[in-house]
Amino acid sequence: MAFKLLLDKSLVFEGLLIYRPPGPVSKFLSIWTSLLEPLIMAPKAIILGDFNIHFDNTSDLLVEEFLNLMVVLDWVLKDGMATHRAGHTLDGIFTHPEEELYLSTTPLEWMDHALLTFKFLSRQQPIIPIPQKILTRSWRNIEAEPLKVTLTHNWNDLKASTLSPLARFNLGIKQAMDSLAPARISVPRTRKKPNQPWFYQALKLLQRKYRQKERCWKLSPREAERVELKLALNIYKEACRAAKSDYFTRKISEAANSSRELFRNVNDLTTPLGTPKVENSSAIK
């Protein structure tokens, strides 16, 4: 049975609850990898249940084959404590190696299996950025005549004040602004930066050079500037392609021994985010 486990209203674990009836382990191994397919791309996942496999019997070749298969798929059996009245480990919890769990068993009088409980010891919390708030005014709504009348009225009211002339002047202007263009709290839109791990500093310099050539061409649209712009753009695009190719080649090579990471890298490769957006001009095509 597949399920999702929600932690702290933000962190989701995808899971698989297993019950394997007693029987030949070889038949179970033949369908096991297909059962794991929904969890291959899950960033956080857990597998638990009654496998009816003696995980404590390391001399059993089928048990060894099953555990080795899980290791290849980047899954590990947590703790492996006895969960059966006879002292065997028939129930288990599998997670990825980076997850840390605290396991405990409680014997039950009405069945031969113990109650297996677990608790996550550490997990990475998502970072939620705090939006920046600024004060803005609708300056365009202020007209000259109402501003003049309001300032005159405010300064006349402040003549009897004990404040200094400069303080009365500033206070009169502030009161006029609050009356004609009240301050509002707004959250500025943040520009989403491309999340490209292969876009390193050298590419930023090439992009900056291309932008400079583009501005020069717009200020002086001559043939020489157009040629320089086209050359800078081609160099930038080729560098982006080479950087992306080198990055994915390296990632796939590093994940050669981990099927889980390999599947992720292949998925990123087949559904790329694309190169940083470049504004094309009809004059340089």
Side-chain angles (χ1 to χ4, degrees):
M1 181 183 71
F3 64 91
K4 288 188 177 182
L5 184 63
L6 180 62
L7 303 179
D8 296 338
K9 299 182 180 180
S10 58
L11 196 60
V12 178
F13 271 78
E14 296 189 30
L16 196 63
L17 182 61
I18 297 294
Y19 172 71
R20 189 190 77 86
V25 179
S26 57
K27 185 177 180 180
F28 177 68
L29 287 176
S30 63
I31 63 171
W32 178 238
T33 53
S34 61
L35 295 176
L36 293 181
E37 287 182 359
L39 301 181
I40 289 178
M41 300 306 300
K44 299 286 185 179
I46 186 171
I47 303 172
L48 67 160
D50 181 4
F51 291 84
N52 274 308
I53 296 176
H54 289 239
F55 293 122
D56 53 304
N57 186 9
T58 55
S59 60
D60 190 325
L61 295 180
L62 290 178
V63 173
E64 183 181 3
E65 180 182 352
F66 178 79
L67 294 177
N68 289 338
L69 174 63
M70 295 299 286
V71 171
V72 170
L73 297 176
D74 204 27
W75 294 91
V76 293
L77 177 65
K78 295 298 182 180
D79 201 334
M81 62 179 61
T83 60
H84 191 265
R85 185 175 299 173
H88 297 294
T89 305
L90 304 182
D91 310 88
I93 297 179
F94 289 87
T95 65
H96 296 307
E98 64 270 15
E99 301 297 339
E100 297 183 10
L101 300 180
Y102 170 74
L103 301 182
S104 62
T105 57
T106 304
L108 302 175
E109 296 181 357
W110 46 275
M111 67 181 306
D112 53 358
H113 285 256
L115 175 64
L116 180 62
T117 58
F118 66 93
K119 179 180 180 181
F120 289 97
L121 294 181
S122 63
R123 53 184 181 272
Q124 184 178 3
Q125 299 293 340
I127 300 176
I128 302 177
I130 300 176
Q132 180 186 5
K133 296 181 179 180
I134 59 175
L135 293 177
T136 60
R137 296 180 185 270
S138 301
W139 301 108
R140 295 183 179 180
N141 295 336
I142 300 178
E143 297 181 359
E145 190 61 29
L147 177 61
K148 180 179 178 181
V149 173
T150 304
L151 286 175
T152 303
H153 180 268
N154 291 344
W155 286 331
N156 289 334
D157 291 343
L158 293 172
K159 283 183 178 180
S161 175
T162 58
L163 298 175
S164 64
L166 179 59
R168 291 199 301 269
F169 177 80
N170 291 335
L171 182 58
I173 292 180
K174 183 179 183 304
Q175 291 176 349
M177 295 299 101
D178 291 340
S179 175
L180 300 176
R184 297 178 302 173
I185 299 177
S186 63
V187 179
R189 294 182 179 179
T190 57
R191 182 180 179 183
K192 293 184 179 180
K193 297 182 179 180
N195 186 20
Q196 302 286 2
W198 49 265
F199 195 74
Y200 53 92
Q201 185 64 28
L203 293 178
K204 293 181 180 179
L205 297 178
L206 291 176
Q207 185 186 47
R208 188 178 304 168
K209 185 176 180 180
Y210 151 69
R211 297 295 187 187
Q212 291 174 352
K213 297 295 183 182
E214 184 180 39
R215 286 191 291 270
C216 291
W217 175 78
K218 288 182 178 180
L219 292 175
S220 179
R222 296 178 299 183
E223 180 63 19
E225 279 71 16
R226 189 190 72 84
V227 172
E228 291 184 2
L229 171 59
K230 186 175 181 180
L231 178 61
L233 177 60
N234 290 337
I235 293 175
Y236 170 65
K237 285 185 175 181
E238 288 299 326
C240 286
R241 294 190 187 98
K244 184 164 60 172
S245 176
D246 293 342
Y247 172 79
F248 281 110
T249 300
R250 186 176 68 255
K251 293 293 289 184
I252 291 176
S253 299
E254 292 174 353
N257 297 325
S258 174
S259 299
R260 176 168 170 257
E261 292 298 327
L262 185 60
F263 272 109
R264 284 187 180 180
N265 293 333
V266 171
N267 182 68
D268 292 340
L269 180 61
T270 54
T271 56
L273 296 176
T275 56
K277 185 178 179 181
V278 177
E279 296 179 0
N280 293 325
S281 175
S282 58
I284 60 175
K285 290 182 179 178

